[in-house]
Amino acid sequence: MAKKSILITGGAGFIGSHLAERLIQSGEKVIVVDNLVTGNIENIRPLLNHPNFTFLEHNVSEHIEIEDELDWVMHFASPASPIDFKKLAIPILKVGSLGTHNALGLAKEKKAKFFLASTSEVYGDPLIHPQPESYWGNVNPIGPRGVYDESKRFAEAITMAYHREHAIDVRIIRIFNTYGPRMRADDGRVVCNFINQALENKDITIYGDGMQSRSFQYVDDLVKGIIKLMSVTHNEPVNLGNPYEFTMLELAEKVIALTKSKSKIIFLELPEDDPKRRKPDISKAQALLGWEPIVQLEEGLVRTIEFFSHEAARPALKEVTL
Ligand code: UDP
C-alpha cells in the first residue's frame, strides 16, 4: 500500500511522539511540527534520522507552510497540564484557536483529512457521570482551567464548521487522562508528580482530601484508538479513555507500594475548579472501533516508573506550584 503522508502538530510532545513513532513503524511518512514549548526533542530523537521522518520547529499558531502533499493533518499541539494553564494561558488559547484554524487551513489546502486531539476537559466539572459524547459539559469559562477548556471547545467548533462548510473529512477525539513514558517530570500532573516524589522519597502531594476520582489510560491504548479511528469515517467526537476509576488517595498508595518508597502522603489545598470526578463513557468507541483499553493501571504504572527511574528523565524535580 502507498505510504500516507501525515503531519502531526505537537508531535514532539508526550502523546504526539508516541503517535509519530507508531505511524513510522507502520511505514507512513510523518512530518512533525512543534515549537518545543512543552514538547521535547528527546521524545523524537530516535526518529530524526529515519528517511520517512521530518521535523520542523515551528509554532503552529503562526501560518504553516508545507510543500509536500498531505493525506492527514493531525492537530495535537497544546500545552495540556494544569501547571501550563497558568504559565502558558495565552499560548494555550492561541494554539487551540489560531493553531487549529491554521491546521484546518492546511488540511483544506492539501485536501487532507483532519484529526483533532480534543479533551475530556470540554466536559469541565461534569454534572453527568460517566461522560458520554452527547454531554455538553459544565465549564467555567473565566476560571483558571477555562483557557484550556474553552480553547478546545472552540477547536471542536471550528473543526465542525470546516467539516460543514468545506466538506473536510474530520475526526475529533476527546482524550481522557493519559499517562506513560515521556511525560515531563515537572509537568505537574498527578501520575508524574506522585511517581517522581515517590522515587525521591519526597512527600506525596495530594490536593484536597484525595477523594476526587480520575480514570487513567495508558498511552499505548490511546494510540491504538487513534489509529483505529483513522480507518473509519465518523466526523463527530469520540471519547478515548479508560473507564477504570479510582481516587487520588488510592493512586498515591499504589505508587508508594510499587516504588517501595518511604514517602509520606501530605494533603494540600485543592486547586480552583478541580473536577471532582471524571470517567469516560466509551460505548461509542467500543461499538465504532471495537476498541477498549487493555493496559491495567498497575502494569502501566510499572512501565512509567521504569521510565522515570532513569535519572535523565527527571531533571531536578521542581517544587510544584499551582
Ligand atoms: N493532584 C494531586 N496531587 C498532585 C497533582 C494532582 O492530588 O501532585 C490531583 C489534582 O488536584 C486532580 C487529579 O490529581 O484532582 C488529577 O490531576 P491532573 O493534574 O493529573 O489532571 P486533571 O485531571 O486535573 O486535568
Side-chain angles (χ1 to χ4, degrees):
M1 213 170 68
K3 269 183 219 144
K4 286 197 217 62
S5 183
I6 301 171
L7 181 139
I8 308 174
T9 76
F14 162 49
I15 294 173
S17 66
H18 283 278
L19 176 62
E21 186 179 358
R22 180 63 182 264
L23 290 169
I24 285 286
Q25 280 163 2
S26 331
E28 316 295 7
K29 277 176 65 180
V30 173
I31 302 172
V32 159
V33 184
D34 199 305
N35 66 348
L36 302 179
V37 62
T38 51
N40 184 348
I41 196 78
E42 294 312 318
N43 290 340
I44 50 169
R45 182 148 326 269
L47 303 179
L48 289 175
N49 290 327
H50 195 285
N52 291 342
F53 185 81
T54 309
F55 172 62
L56 299 174
E57 189 170 339
H58 176 73
N59 179 356
V60 295
S61 299
E62 316 276 340
H63 180 79
I64 313 166
E65 199 69 54
I66 301 288
E67 282 179 10
D68 305 39
E69 291 306 306
L70 295 175
D71 297 293
W72 280 95
V73 175
M74 304 186 77
H75 186 36
F76 278 68
S78 180
S81 149
I83 281 194
D84 303 329
F85 301 167
K86 199 169 176 185
K87 284 199 305 216
L88 297 169
I90 293 171
I92 288 173
L93 284 159
K94 285 171 87 172
V95 77
S97 53
L98 307 178
T100 308
H101 186 216
N102 288 333
L104 279 161
L106 180 65
K108 179 166 159 259
E109 166 76 21
K110 300 289 180 184
K111 298 187 174 43
K113 297 181 188 179
F114 182 77
F115 196 112
L116 175 68
S118 184
T119 169
S120 56
E121 281 288 319
V122 299
Y123 302 124
D125 190 0
L127 303 177
I128 287 187
H129 195 77
Q131 295 81 52
E133 290 85 350
S134 53
Y135 179 48
W136 290 353
N138 178 39
V139 170
N140 173 4
I142 58 166
R145 303 178 80 100
V147 294
Y148 183 63
D149 302 8
E150 296 296 2
S151 85
K152 290 291 188 181
R153 289 168 69 97
F154 174 87
E156 290 195 11
I158 192 171
T159 297
M160 288 310 288
Y162 265 68
H163 170 60
R164 294 189 190 105
E165 279 286 309
H166 299 303
I168 308 238
D169 189 4
V170 302
R171 308 285 181 279
I172 300 173
I173 51 166
R174 293 184 178 150
I175 303 174
F176 283 68
N177 293 70
T178 303
Y179 71 103
R182 302 194 193 141
M183 295 187 91
R184 278 154 40 219
D186 60 353
D187 104 341
R189 277 180 284 193
V190 70
V191 174
C192 24
N193 269 7
F194 286 3
I195 290 179
N196 286 291
Q197 290 162 344
L199 288 173
E200 300 190 4
N201 294 310
K202 291 185 172 164
D203 291 344
I204 305 270
T205 55
I206 288 192
Y207 303 155
D209 61 6
M211 296 314 288
Q212 71 271 38
S213 77
R214 293 291 187 277
S215 49
F216 285 83
Q217 73 183 325
Y218 188 67
V219 64
D220 289 1
D221 283 332
L222 170 65
V223 169
K224 283 184 191 152
I226 292 169
I227 306 273
K228 285 195 167 210
L229 186 57
M230 291 169 81
S231 63
V232 301
T233 302
H234 184 84
N235 298 127
E236 295 198 347
V238 179
N239 287 340
L240 292 180
N242 190 327
Y244 176 67
E245 185 185 3
F246 49 87
T247 66
M248 295 309 96
L249 191 56
E250 288 172 289
L251 177 67
E253 284 161 354
K254 203 171 258 299
V255 169
I256 291 176
L258 288 173
T259 50
K260 301 188 175 61
S261 173
K262 297 192 185 69
S263 294
K264 291 192 306 294
I265 293 177
I266 58 164
F267 295 89
L268 303 178
E269 205 182 322
L270 190 67
E272 195 183 338
D273 292 342
D274 196 89
K276 286 174 271 311
R277 303 184 75 183
R278 196 188 282 138
K279 167 179 168 168
D281 177 334
I282 58 164
S283 17
K284 195 194 229 187
Q286 283 168 319
L288 184 71
L289 311 173
W291 170 90
E292 57 185 20
I294 52 169
V295 180
Q296 307 281 322
L297 179 65
E298 188 151 323
E299 187 189 342
L301 284 177
V302 168
R303 293 190 210 168
T304 312
I305 290 166
E306 150 68 18
F307 169 78
F308 280 120
S309 350
H310 302 287
E311 203 70 37
R314 47 192 175 98
L317 181 59
K318 297 182 199 91
E319 289 309 312
V320 178
T321 42
L322 273 171

